[in-house]
Amino acid sequence: MGNDVLRQEKGGYNKASVLAKLDAYNILLMMAEEGVSSSKLIPELEKARALPLDRVKSGFFGQYGFSTEDTDNCIADLEEKIAAAMAAAR
């Protein structure tokens, strides 16, 4: 992602679920960069993809969460980096 900050928005993604998902992706990226085999990474990647991204309440009394657009872009960027690191390890 261009900037390293996830903006906040009313009714965005729950911060705890975003941080858990990003942590899982970052661990996978480190593993891929260290040359862990794709046979071990792919099942873990599927688990990371399956982690839910819950939304917070929106509306007048809604809560603030991380921007859905920023989060989705960040996850897509991490997926590209993981794929590139897995391809480089072959």
Side-chain angles (χ1 to χ4, degrees):
M1 198 166 99
N3 60 11
D4 292 339
V5 177
L6 296 174
R7 293 175 293 175
Q8 293 188 64
E9 69 181 20
K10 203 168 209 179
Y13 288 132
N14 174 284
K15 291 179 181 182
S17 65
V18 169
L19 294 175
K21 193 165 188 119
L22 292 180
D23 282 346
Y25 273 99
N26 281 313
I27 289 168
L28 286 169
L29 179 58
M30 286 189 304
M31 290 170 63
E33 288 173 342
E34 290 174 0
V36 174
S37 71
S38 61
S39 63
K40 290 183 181 180
L41 286 175
I42 291 174
E44 295 302 315
L45 182 58
E46 292 304 318
K47 288 179 188 176
R49 287 178 178 152
L51 290 173
L53 282 175
D54 302 322
R55 294 190 75 139
V56 296
K57 291 182 181 180
S58 59
F60 187 71
F61 292 107
Q63 300 171 333
Y64 282 86
F66 286 129
S67 163
T68 55
E69 179 183 359
D70 289 353
T71 303
D72 293 342
N73 289 339
C74 185
I75 290 170
D77 185 48
L78 285 169
E79 289 229 8
E80 287 176 20
K81 288 179 181 178
I82 291 168
M86 285 173 50
R90 289 184 190 166

